[in-house]
Amino acid sequence: MGAAEKNMGAAITPADGPAWAQSARDDAAARLAATGLPGRRDEYWKYTDPTSLTEPEAAQAALFKSDESPFFDGIDRLRVVFVDGVFDADASDNLTLEGVEIERLAEANADIHWAKGIFGVLEANGQIPVVRPLAALNTATAADGVLIRVTKTPSRPISLVYRHADERSDAMLHHVVRVESGASLTLLENGPAAARFNKVMEIDVADGAEFHHVRAQGRDHERRVATHMFARLGQESVFKSFTLTMNGVLTRNEVVIELTGDDAVAHVAGAAVGDGDFHHDDTVFITHDALRCESRQVFKKVLRNGATGVFQGKILVKKDAQKTDGFQLSQALLLDDDAQFLAKPELEIYADDVLCSHGSTTGAIDEDALFYLRSRGVPTVEAQDLLVLAFLAEAIEEVEAEDIAEELNTRLTGWLERRR
Amino acid sequence: MLKITNLHVGLEEEDKAILKGVDLSVGAGEVHAIMGPNGSGKSTLSYVLAGRDGYEVTDGSAALDGEDLLEMEPEERAAAGLFLAFQYPVEIPGVGNMTFLRTAVNAQRKARGEEEMSAADFLKAIRENAKTLKIDPDMLKRPVNVGFSGGEKKRNEILQMAMLEPRMCVLDETDSGLDVDAMKLVSEGVNALRDAGRSFLVITHYQRLLDHIKPDVVHIMADGRIVKTGGPDLALEVENNGYADILSEVA
């Protein structure tokens, strides 16, 4: 019995689906059988207990109820809706969009499919040098997801909406995105998704292509989630991803990027606010394997009332990746003594002509600034909220679309106000 | 307007008395200056009036129009009409100057049970005031005091004062770090706000600011007490003879 089977309580059976995906699924199942699922003693899970992500049954999670409108409601977008991890055609928009092919993974039955060279491939590449068994589990067993191929920049963003309808749902989705040379895609993601959610997205950004991603997750939901993004960047391509997380019991977001073409740019940013039973983990691994590439990580977390934040970020610069420009910033604002932030920033550099920096700080509210605001008549709670938003601003500024950045700020303001 | 009686203040963290019985009364519409050597307790007085943490009032009182200031939170003091122009205005990255001021104006109005200022009225008022103080509109959009020069920071303090329309203004070494032109500009801003219903307490180390902001009364502070009070001439005396003469005279 392999380690995985021990952990899972049952053998892994690869999902049924299109024939072209079968070998990748079998391969992932074999890799998983060899590594087993993550356990508490794994170095990569030192700060985050994976138990609730790996145990056989998903813990119950109350359905998210709010008077607030859903995220991105005011933005003209093409919605692809999943309910508890299953594509819902009726709730989704018509999937026809000029310049884009959108297909459901489960129904992508072409004999030769463009996604074959990406599905499970970027994920497998991303397993070295650190194994990511939850992603292998996803490749092997996720039956649903969406395949998006962008040949020409579409007129509006594609929006993946994850609804949650069953308090015990245990959902998995696997998406594949390919942005062809010269095209640009904006992809949005939001919604509580399920009681437990395991999601993998593989993104192949061709030479000169752009991928912009904004994700809003958590809110006040009890859900547990592990996500992985595996990206491969071609020459002069651009990858920008931002994630806003507001509560949620457990969130582990892994981002694995490989800069394989010269002059590529990868920015990953996130803002997370946690109050109470909240554990949020950003784990990022960026590999520079080409000339003059730029990578930038900006992560900010505001924690209180027992909330925990984790950041594991690594920049690996290979021998020939000269003129690399790597930047990494992770900061936490702890609003009380019960909150904690655990950070492990890493640089591993084999090229000799690079510019890399990283900084990680943990701090409290600036008392001088707080007094200054109060001395002008701003009540303490409002002053504190202003300073929290100011702290997060550096991360939100990473979002280029102004309307989306504004919505993120409005949502954060609302979240803070509800806690006054 | 402002009445300080026998005010004794020490540091919270250590057993050290700083103010040792300050008596001071500022009438409506009056401008009082407090001068004194370094370490005499001038800035402590301004912080204690504004409600900064770290100080412990061991005796005495401070009241604004009969209301006990020392019982109030800093924001309540502001809403009651007290304003402190900081010696070292604080930089707040990420908070836009305009957002900050609008939040402050409306928070004070709300605290006083008044209607909030409309966005249009606010914009009009801030533009006019900024123009008078020669504040670049771009400065309004930037984060509070971040990257501002010394002069810009002080002008920004006066802009806040103009927008918040306090009754009792305390200016803590507003002249420090200013060149002659900047000092003139700041003084003009202050003078424009002089009014029968508004009082000023101008704390300064040097007489030169008082050439521009003419005081009605001048106090000399030393070792935590007001040791001498007089008219504008007293400031000139300090300028000519230094503090030593006065201090030996009252000793």
Side-chain angles (χ1 to χ4, degrees):
Chain A
M1 201 190 228
E5 292 163 37
K6 263 189 293 180
N7 281 345
M8 300 285 297
I12 301 293
T13 313
D16 286 332
W20 58 264
Q22 205 52 54
S23 63
R25 282 180 165 149
D26 293 342
D27 172 62
R31 284 188 277 116
L32 179 63
T35 64
L37 283 164
R40 289 220 68 171
R41 283 191 300 276
D42 289 331
E43 180 66 20
Y44 217 47
W45 291 85
K46 189 174 172 184
Y47 304 123
T48 299
D49 181 359
T51 307
S52 64
L53 297 169
T54 57
E55 62 194 0
E57 297 288 321
Q60 186 171 351
L63 300 183
F64 177 60
K65 286 195 178 63
S66 169
D67 299 335
E68 279 183 294
S69 60
F71 246 94
F72 307 132
D73 227 20
I75 289 164
D76 182 25
R77 63 212 159 113
L78 186 146
R79 284 171 308 170
V80 183
V81 180
F82 298 87
V83 181
D84 292 312
V86 179
F87 175 69
D88 185 333
D90 294 337
S92 301
D93 291 328
N94 181 338
L95 301 187
T96 316
L97 183 63
E98 203 190 335
V100 188
E101 297 162 23
I102 307 173
E103 265 177 297
R104 189 179 177 187
L105 170 62
E107 294 166 354
N109 286 318
D111 291 339
I112 301 168
H113 201 280
W114 62 264
K116 183 170 166 56
I118 307 169
F119 179 85
V121 174
L122 300 193
E123 177 262 303
N125 289 346
Q127 300 278 348
I128 304 162
V130 190
V131 294
R132 306 169 198 278
L134 289 171
L137 171 70
N138 182 298
T139 299
T141 62
D144 220 333
V146 70
L147 311 176
I148 300 171
R149 179 166 173 255
V150 184
T151 50
K152 213 179 115 224
T153 304
S155 58
R156 51 186 174 145
I158 294 173
S159 173
L160 306 180
V161 179
Y162 305 120
R163 293 191 185 144
H164 178 206
D166 175 351
E167 288 194 348
R168 291 205 169 271
S169 58
D170 190 6
M172 245 186 236
L173 286 173
H174 194 115
H175 308 307
V176 178
V177 178
R178 160 90 179 166
V179 189
E180 298 291 353
S181 192
S184 172
L185 173 72
T186 297
L187 185 71
L188 308 175
E189 290 186 281
N190 74 289
R196 181 165 70 181
F197 188 39
N198 175 335
K199 188 193 66 187
V200 166
M201 186 185 292
E202 292 169 293
I203 307 121
D204 192 21
V205 191
D207 294 351
E210 293 195 16
F211 175 76
H212 296 269
H213 173 241
V214 180
R215 158 167 71 167
Q217 60 181 187
R219 297 237 253 182
D220 293 61
H221 197 266
E222 294 175 358
R223 62 92 184 96
R224 291 166 170 82
V225 58
T227 76
H228 290 81
M229 292 180 87
F230 296 94
R232 178 168 66 194
L233 274 62
Q235 197 174 319
E236 290 179 35
S237 68
V238 173
F239 172 99
K240 292 191 180 179
S241 171
F242 176 88
T243 301
L244 174 68
T245 308
M246 295 189 283
N247 276 12
V249 169
L250 176 63
T251 306
R252 163 96 161 196
N253 291 330
E254 294 192 29
V255 179
V256 184
I257 299 171
E258 204 168 6
L259 296 137
T260 60
D262 295 343
D263 302 293
V265 172
H267 291 190
V268 197
V273 287
D275 180 6
D277 189 8
F278 169 92
H279 185 105
H280 186 273
D281 177 335
D282 281 305
T283 291
V284 181
F285 199 112
I286 297 181
T287 305
H288 283 259
D289 196 11
L291 295 172
R292 297 177 302 272
C293 290
E294 173 194 316
S295 72
R296 182 176 166 83
Q297 302 170 47
V298 179
F299 289 93
K300 299 253 190 172
K301 297 180 207 283
V302 178
L303 307 164
R304 68 175 164 202
N305 199 12
T308 297
V310 174
F311 175 77
Q312 302 188 104
K314 179 155 183 171
I315 304 173
L316 169 64
V317 182
K318 292 201 175 172
K319 192 165 153 283
D320 295 324
Q322 300 295 4
K323 305 282 180 194
T324 284
D325 181 354
F327 175 80
Q328 183 194 82
L329 179 73
S330 65
Q331 295 184 316
L333 181 62
L334 306 183
L335 297 182
D336 58 39
D337 293 340
D338 293 336
Q340 64 170 343
F341 179 54
L342 305 159
K344 190 180 171 195
E346 282 180 287
L347 295 176
E348 194 177 327
I349 301 170
Y350 296 99
D352 52 18
D353 183 15
V354 302
L355 191 69
C356 279
S357 67
H358 66 84
S360 182
T361 64
T362 306
I365 285 272
D366 178 349
E367 290 297 331
D368 287 338
L370 190 65
F371 174 64
Y372 191 68
L373 291 168
R374 293 177 71 197
S375 79
R376 298 305 181 241
V378 183
T380 313
V381 279
E382 265 181 68
Q384 185 160 313
D385 287 358
L386 264 180
L387 294 174
V388 166
L389 289 171
F391 171 78
L392 295 171
E394 200 178 355
I396 308 275
E397 277 163 17
E398 296 289 315
V399 177
E400 285 179 15
E402 276 181 27
D403 51 347
I404 295 177
E406 198 179 303
E407 175 169 2
L408 297 173
N409 271 318
T410 308
R411 301 284 183 178
L412 277 166
T413 306
W415 189 89
L416 290 165
E417 278 173 0
R418 284 195 297 281
R419 278 166 176 76
R420 279 181 188 168
Chain B
M1 177 75 70
L2 178 68
K3 189 159 176 56
I4 301 170
T5 313
N6 191 33
L7 188 62
H8 285 72
V9 172
L11 289 179
E12 231 166 45
E13 297 279 306
E14 48 187 303
D15 188 21
K16 190 184 172 195
I18 299 178
L19 300 184
K20 302 167 182 173
V22 174
D23 288 290
L24 184 67
S25 181
V26 182
E30 291 178 0
V31 175
H32 286 225
I34 296 186
M35 301 180 72
N38 289 330
S40 57
K42 304 188 300 292
S43 284
T44 297
L45 178 63
S46 74
Y47 283 142
V48 169
L49 290 175
R52 192 191 183 111
D53 280 345
Y55 300 102
E56 192 187 353
V57 177
T58 50
D59 199 6
S61 65
L64 184 64
D65 284 336
E67 282 183 274
D68 185 358
L69 277 177
L70 304 178
E71 282 297 305
M72 296 184 206
E73 296 294 329
E75 54 267 36
E76 293 169 337
R77 302 178 196 207
L82 182 82
F83 181 90
L84 169 65
F86 282 57
Q87 182 179 1
Y88 304 108
V90 181
E91 298 188 4
I92 313 182
V95 178
N97 217 4
M98 195 96 101
T99 309
F100 158 58
L101 255 175
R102 191 151 175 237
T103 307
V105 166
N106 283 331
Q108 290 202 13
R109 287 182 169 230
K110 205 173 144 195
R112 292 193 293 259
E114 297 166 13
E115 277 218 15
E116 290 197 357
M117 202 171 190
S118 75
D121 287 347
F122 176 82
L123 216 57
K124 192 163 168 273
I126 199 166
R127 279 193 184 136
E128 279 173 14
N129 282 316
K131 206 175 154 193
T132 312
L133 287 160
K134 297 208 169 83
I135 287 174
D136 187 350
D138 188 49
M139 244 170 80
L140 300 175
K141 288 182 201 145
R142 278 152 57 187
V144 180
N145 293 324
V146 177
F148 288 21
S149 70
E152 285 174 333
K153 282 182 183 169
K154 295 299 172 78
R155 271 184 279 157
N156 201 30
E157 293 292 288
I158 306 305
L159 173 69
Q160 292 169 32
M161 198 162 91
M163 290 301 296
L164 294 167
E165 301 179 327
R167 285 184 294 164
M168 181 69 229
C169 310
V170 180
L171 278 62
D172 185 11
E173 308 240 2
T174 293
D175 52 335
S176 69
L178 293 188
D179 60 27
V180 180
D181 289 341
M183 187 154 65
K184 232 180 123 194
L185 208 55
V186 165
S187 304
E188 280 166 10
V190 171
N191 288 330
L193 292 169
R194 287 181 75 158
D195 182 279
R198 181 172 293 133
S199 310
F200 291 84
L201 187 60
V202 181
I203 293 170
T204 181
H205 197 65
Y206 300 105
Q207 185 267 339
R208 57 176 194 170
L209 179 67
L210 305 178
D211 284 341
H212 300 285
I213 305 173
K214 298 251 186 296
D216 300 304
V217 181
V218 174
H219 308 275
I220 306 296
M221 193 165 182
D223 193 26
R225 285 186 199 90
I226 304 282
V227 294
K228 190 165 184 181
T229 296
D233 292 348
L234 187 53
L236 288 172
E237 203 185 316
V238 169
E239 177 73 4
N240 294 330
N241 307 329
Y243 288 112
D245 279 8
I246 296 171
L247 298 186
S248 60
E249 178 190 317
V250 298

